[in-house]
Amino acid sequence: MFKKCFILFVLFFLAVFSFGETASLAAESKLIIINKTNNQLAYYKSGVLTKVFRVATGRQPSYTPEGKFKIVNKIVNRPYYSGHIPGGDPRNPLGNRWLGLNARQTWGTTYAIHGNNNPNSIGTYASAGCIRMYDHEVEWLFGQVPVNTPVVITSSSKPFNSIAASYGFKVNGTAKPAPPIPVSKVLKKGSSGAEVTALQKKLTALGYNTKGIDGIFGSNTEKAVIAFQKKKGIKADGIVGTATKKALGLK
């Protein structure tokens, strides 16, 4: 009986060890690099650069941590706790996938690669420190990378392969460049990015006070838009569509 139990224990131990080793090797064959200089994310599989995506990073350079980290948890539809918004809610700014990072002595609870409910922010410096992706792209990435996948975050003028080499990763290959950021047809409250910045500058130059030019379409920008629309006889809804853009001289 003892011999049988001992054999079962050894087999169980070997199975667990083998699974852990396999998971570790799977993670090591994947690599993510995020370059804050151009707000791009590179995904490597088995040392080959496979895909490049556009992302959003911190509003200030210090917000998004730099260094070598790893993915420590994966969550589908993570709630936005501070805003009391449940996971899966279209108002949730974390989108539908969360890849938590062990950055700055946190364990996947503070910093992450995640989706978002404001696609206009992609390609800009807009977050409180996380890395934002389009929902459909982070869904794809979520399905590719296991827990323990290494993640390098840096600010560099070097190509991704050179960045990887500087961190000790042997990589090769090229990937198609990240697709261009789609131009929004409509700007409204909640939008952000370069188009909003241009809108705010234009309104301010025309004497409509947005109370700052920060690239974020908030209440003050909305009020300025409504005032402009009323002046021009355009539907005063605070939404910058084709007619309002034309009146403002924006593309």
Side-chain angles (χ1 to χ4, degrees):
M1 182 68 180
F2 173 80
K3 184 177 180 181
K4 183 178 181 181
C5 290
F6 178 76
I7 292 172
L8 289 172
F9 173 78
V10 170
L11 290 174
F12 174 77
F13 176 80
L14 290 173
V16 170
F17 178 79
S18 176
F19 174 79
E21 186 177 40
T22 300
S24 178
L25 288 172
E28 288 176 2
S29 71
K30 311 291 178 67
L31 169 65
I32 292 172
I33 299 177
I34 296 151
N35 190 350
K36 292 159 55 177
T37 298
N38 56 15
N39 273 347
Q40 292 189 355
L41 180 154
Y43 166 68
Y44 287 84
K45 180 180 179 180
S46 300
V48 178
L49 180 57
T50 304
K51 286 198 174 187
V52 178
F53 302 98
R54 292 195 183 276
V55 298
T57 54
R59 291 188 296 273
Q60 299 293 332
S62 62
Y63 286 7
T64 300
E66 297 188 16
K68 182 180 176 182
F69 312 108
K70 63 181 179 180
I71 294 171
V72 292
N73 59 38
K74 297 174 62 178
I75 303 172
V76 176
N77 292 332
R78 183 183 188 271
Y80 184 53
Y81 296 110
S82 61
H84 306 290
I85 302 175
D89 191 304
R91 298 171 300 154
N92 192 319
L94 304 179
N96 54 18
R97 297 293 186 274
W98 173 277
L99 296 167
L101 305 175
N102 64 336
R104 292 177 178 166
Q105 290 75 55
T106 63
W107 200 252
T109 57
T110 305
Y111 298 98
I113 301 166
H114 63 72
N116 76 108
N117 65 345
N118 181 16
N120 290 330
S121 69
I122 300 302
T124 71
Y125 300 98
S127 79
C130 287
I131 297 90
R132 300 179 183 178
M133 298 182 69
Y134 290 118
D135 272 347
H136 68 281
E137 292 183 344
V138 77
E139 282 181 17
W140 182 89
L141 185 65
F142 188 95
Q144 304 300 310
V145 295
V147 168
N148 290 324
T149 294
V151 177
V152 171
I153 304 177
T154 187
S155 297
S156 176
S157 59
K158 297 179 181 179
F160 280 118
N161 286 358
S162 296
I163 294 172
S166 69
Y167 278 85
F169 294 98
K170 294 181 179 179
V171 299
N172 59 71
T174 59
K176 292 181 179 179
I181 301 170
V183 177
S184 303
K185 293 182 179 179
V186 173
L187 299 175
K188 59 184 179 179
K189 192 173 181 179
S191 299
S192 65
E195 287 183 279
V196 177
T197 299
L199 168 65
Q200 291 171 329
K201 287 181 178 179
K202 188 69 174 183
L203 287 168
T204 300
L206 293 172
Y208 298 92
N209 189 4
T210 61
K211 296 187 179 180
I213 299 172
D214 57 4
I216 300 173
F217 200 128
S219 297
N220 294 319
T221 300
E222 184 181 50
K223 289 176 183 177
V225 169
I226 290 172
F228 173 81
Q229 290 172 328
K230 287 180 178 178
K231 180 73 173 179
K232 295 295 182 178
I234 302 169
K235 182 181 178 181
D237 55 5
I239 298 174
V240 182
T242 303
T244 303
K245 283 187 177 182
K246 184 177 180 180
L248 283 165
L250 297 173
K251 294 181 179 180

